[in-house]
Amino acid sequence: MDLTTLNLKPLNLLIFPDWSQPEELLYLELAPIIKSIVTHRDRHNLALLIDSTEISEDSELDAHLILSGIMMNLCMEEDLDPSVEPEIILLENLSQSQWQTLLPQIQYRIKLTAENQIALALSGAEIIPLLELDRLGDITLVSPASMALSLANTLYSQGRYEEAIKQYQRFSQFQVGDIALFLNFSDCWRRINQISAAIAILEHGLRYYRTAGQLHFELIKICQQTGQTKKAISNAEIAAEILPNRPLAK
């Protein structure tokens, strides 16, 4: 599947239906989601991505028919304008590298009662924030920076440091983060043994947060632990001067 052909929107949602269910149960799960999107105030900025990997060609055909049937019934039941169709994208047989490219562009995953757990696990989409169906109408557009930061923090908490670094770098293209961001970002580099990069991030953070004791002390610690004693002493002297009431620096 060519990802460049996907008509993604500013706000993209993802679901993993279990296509082995009876058609009636699939309809009951999918219809409320599609209805919420069709009636959403920002529906023109929404896209629903539906995983359809791990299913046969016959089932794929059923997927299209089910979605068409849901839209037809909604138009009749809700008196909707037939020309207003939601952006629904069926994802077919994505590779892991394709998922890695796509996931940063997805803001939420809607949890279903019956999900394709195998496809979910293989995709790596567990990192995507979960959205309850009853909150779908309240969601607003998410900035690329906020999306990158949320994903970076999730990846960091899962110990996926190289992936987290990419998202922290992406966030940094848009804006300066808070003290916690610089600490986490630096720690990612340290954990993959890129000490120079870890130090550089802390030094960069101190340009914005000159009096942030956590950044000073983390910088001193990492220099000391990696045998850079002179650099550790120099940074300790700077910290003691900037933070005279913090005896730890002295």
Side-chain angles (χ1 to χ4, degrees), residues 57-233:
E57 291 185 3
D58 290 340
S59 296
E60 185 179 341
L61 178 62
D62 289 342
H64 287 284
L65 290 174
I66 289 171
L67 296 174
S68 297
I70 290 172
M71 273 305 302
M72 185 179 299
N73 287 339
L74 284 175
C75 286
M76 293 187 294
E77 294 171 3
E78 304 294 328
D79 194 26
L80 299 175
D81 183 351
S83 65
V84 179
E85 292 189 14
E87 188 63 44
I88 297 179
I89 302 170
L90 283 173
L91 302 175
E92 305 168 5
N93 302 315
L94 298 190
S95 66
Q96 286 189 326
S97 62
Q98 286 178 311
W99 275 116
Q100 289 178 3
T101 300
L102 182 61
L103 290 180
Q105 303 177 72
I106 300 173
Q107 285 72 35
Y108 296 105
R109 176 170 69 87
I110 301 175
K111 183 174 177 57
L112 303 177
T113 302
E115 291 183 308
N116 186 336
Q117 295 295 331
I118 294 176
L120 174 59
L122 291 174
S123 70
E126 298 100 327
I127 63 174
I128 302 298
L130 280 175
L131 177 69
E132 298 295 334
L133 180 57
D134 59 3
R135 289 191 57 244
L136 200 158
D138 301 327
I139 60 173
T140 56
L141 299 182
V142 180
S143 70
S146 297
M147 180 176 63
L149 181 58
S150 175
L151 184 55
N153 288 334
T154 300
L155 290 166
Y156 173 72
S157 68
Q158 295 177 346
R160 298 163 65 175
Y161 303 115
E162 293 186 5
E163 296 173 70
I165 285 169
K166 293 178 182 178
Q167 296 307 319
Y168 282 129
Q169 289 173 328
R170 186 164 176 250
F171 172 84
S172 299
Q173 294 175 354
F174 299 102
Q175 64 189 71
V176 176
D178 58 12
I179 294 171
L181 177 139
F182 287 104
L183 290 170
N184 292 349
F185 197 177
S186 174
D187 192 46
C188 285
W189 284 116
R190 183 186 65 81
R191 287 177 181 271
I192 63 172
N193 205 32
Q194 298 291 324
I195 303 304
S196 295
I199 290 173
I201 290 297
L202 294 171
E203 292 174 336
H204 184 63
L206 284 168
R207 294 174 197 163
Y208 297 98
Y209 301 102
R210 185 170 176 268
T211 60
Q214 290 172 288
L215 294 177
H216 282 288
F217 299 140
E218 187 63 29
L219 179 57
I220 295 166
K221 183 178 73 174
I222 195 172
C223 290
Q224 184 182 25
Q225 290 177 341
T226 56
Q228 302 179 60
T229 307
K230 290 184 178 180
K231 190 175 181 67
I233 292 172

